[in-house]
Amino acid sequence: MHHSRYEYTQAMMGTTVSLMLFEPNETVVKHVFNTINQLENKLTVNRPVSEVMSINNAAGKHPVRVSHAVYSLIEQAWKVSLMPNSCFNVAIGPLVKLWKIGFSGHQVPNPEQIVEKRSLIDPNDIKLDPKSCSVFLKKADMEIDLGAIAKGYIADVIKLVLQQHNVYQAIINLGGNVLTTGDSPIDAEGYWHIGLKKPFSSIENELVGLIKVKNKSVVTSGIYERYFIENQHVYHHILDSKTGYPLDNELESITIISDTSLEGDIYSTILYGFGTEKTKQLLKNQQNLSAIFLLKDKTIKIVNPDNFAFQLLDQEYQIS
């Protein structure tokens, strides 16, 4: 079984984006990276100008009309944010900007600053109008942040772009979001092999195990991705709206295996806050979704293992 691989990479969205094809196709590659660029330009909050920034800049003043795609994504993120006890919050922007985790100038804010920003992150203060595709943030200084969902949405769009060009075997990696299309031509059983990174490893790209999937999305969210240490305490980028501080529980990372990457993004955030036991209950009714939890005590818990195969590589961890 010999197949040539063609890997194309570009630095985008604050990460390295890669596309692996099995026959050369410069037209598809150009189309893929152009599409990512266009979508990032609409969704980013890390530049002065984008459709999302036009909403944020008008906070407390007036509604802003946006493209149907951006409106639809904001609406999905808003609905998930309003779920009971959801850790997902599309209005989290002011808190993210306060902490600056993963960016220069990160700091532990003082309690007064956190209280102030928490008054600006209630998703109930977002008004959506489907008729005009407009979004209104009711309070000045509110900010929408689609960082927790944008990569998943973009990955799913890229899969459609590939299919439009009759490419049905490929792997897209947007850094934390890996989307496979079809079966792998380089594995006898058709599995794609996706590495599960070891949290806080001093060895670059050291793996805890391999996740083997077909035509699935694999999204990992972990406290080791963006963090800083102050007074021997790790402050990571997964923030808890209820406290204003990084979420503190038994988890180092969560991986969601799903049909779409958008689902993976949404559930990796929601289930991070729920922890392992509550997740088992929730996913009983959603057999197409699977979760792999890496715990701080070096145990691995797997929920709904039927959608993938897992090969443990690191003996420091135990599957429980």
Side-chain angles (χ1 to χ4, degrees):
M1 179 176 286
H2 179 72
H3 280 269
S4 298
R5 300 177 218 190
Y6 301 87
E7 190 164 4
Y8 307 87
T9 61
Q10 275 194 34
M12 305 173 100
M13 297 190 296
T15 186
T16 300
V17 172
S18 74
L19 171 68
M20 189 191 287
L21 303 176
F22 295 90
E23 41 191 62
N25 191 329
E26 291 299 331
T27 307
V28 166
V29 171
K30 196 173 171 187
H31 209 81
V32 163
F33 286 115
N34 281 348
T35 302
I36 294 172
N37 201 29
Q38 285 167 6
L39 292 172
E40 186 185 7
N41 287 344
K42 288 180 179 185
L43 300 171
T44 186
V45 292
N46 296 323
R47 295 183 204 151
V49 180
S50 72
E51 283 193 44
V52 176
M53 283 307 293
S54 67
I55 297 167
N56 293 344
N57 291 335
K61 298 175 198 161
H62 57 80
V64 174
R65 291 183 74 147
V66 290
S67 62
H68 181 73
V70 171
Y71 179 86
S72 172
L73 189 61
I74 290 170
E75 184 181 45
Q76 287 183 75
W78 177 71
K79 284 177 178 171
V80 175
S81 302
L82 293 175
M83 285 168 56
N85 300 315
S86 175
C87 243
F88 193 101
N89 186 355
V90 69
I92 195 104
L95 210 49
V96 173
K97 294 261 169 91
L98 177 66
W99 280 88
K100 292 191 175 76
I101 297 170
F103 298 93
S104 62
H106 59 244
Q107 55 161 347
V108 179
N110 65 48
E112 292 78 21
Q113 289 174 303
I114 285 179
V115 168
E116 182 206 336
K117 296 303 183 192
R118 281 188 60 224
S119 71
L120 299 171
I121 62 169
D122 186 348
N124 288 294
D125 291 329
I126 300 173
K127 188 170 185 294
L128 301 179
D129 181 0
K131 285 196 191 74
S132 61
C133 264
S134 70
V135 183
F136 178 46
L137 308 182
K138 294 179 184 176
K139 293 181 179 176
D141 299 324
M142 282 182 71
E143 289 192 46
I144 281 175
D145 187 333
L146 295 174
I149 201 174
K151 281 185 185 175
Y153 168 72
I154 292 171
D156 291 336
V157 172
I158 296 309
K159 188 169 184 172
L160 290 175
V161 169
L162 293 173
Q163 289 170 351
Q164 284 161 4
H165 287 83
N166 299 313
V167 175
Y168 296 101
Q169 290 178 309
I171 186 163
I172 308 144
N173 187 344
L174 302 186
N177 289 60
V178 180
L179 188 57
T180 67
T181 173
D183 291 2
S184 168
I186 52 175
D187 178 82
E189 295 173 79
Y191 281 117
W192 300 96
H193 293 202
I194 296 158
L196 178 57
K197 282 182 85 164
K198 182 173 185 175
F200 302 111
S201 174
S202 56
I203 301 164
E204 196 181 357
N205 296 326
E206 188 177 8
L207 302 179
V208 171
L210 286 176
I211 302 163
K212 301 177 185 181
V213 294
K214 296 178 188 179
N215 204 35
K216 291 278 185 187
S217 156
V218 179
V219 172
T220 298
S221 192
I223 62 174
Y224 59 90
E225 294 167 312
R226 296 202 304 276
Y227 68 93
F228 67 93
I229 298 173
E230 194 167 298
N231 296 329
Q232 296 169 333
H233 188 90
V234 174
Y235 294 95
H236 60 79
H237 75 291
I238 304 170
L239 299 173
D240 183 348
S241 298
K242 290 194 277 296
T243 66
Y245 288 85
L247 197 68
D248 191 14
N249 62 12
E250 78 276 25
L251 301 178
E252 283 186 329
S253 77
I254 177 173
T255 300
I256 300 292
I257 294 99
S258 54
D259 293 329
T260 69
S261 198
L262 185 61
E263 276 182 306
D265 265 353
I266 289 169
Y267 280 98
S268 67
T269 306
I270 290 176
L271 301 179
Y272 216 110
F274 281 4
T276 54
E277 292 312 309
K278 208 169 169 186
T279 294
K280 278 181 191 165
Q281 298 305 313
L282 191 74
L283 295 191
K284 266 182 185 164
N285 308 320
Q286 303 202 54
Q287 291 301 313
N288 65 320
L289 283 174
S290 301
I292 303 171
F293 292 98
L294 297 190
L295 276 63
K296 289 172 181 169
D297 67 3
K298 304 298 181 230
T299 59
I300 300 173
K301 291 192 187 299
I302 295 176
V303 182
N304 293 353
D306 294 346
N307 299 310
F308 66 99
F310 183 71
Q311 181 185 347
L312 184 65
L313 298 176
D314 189 322
Q315 299 312 309
E316 199 183 334
Y317 283 81
Q318 279 186 320
I319 299 173
S320 70

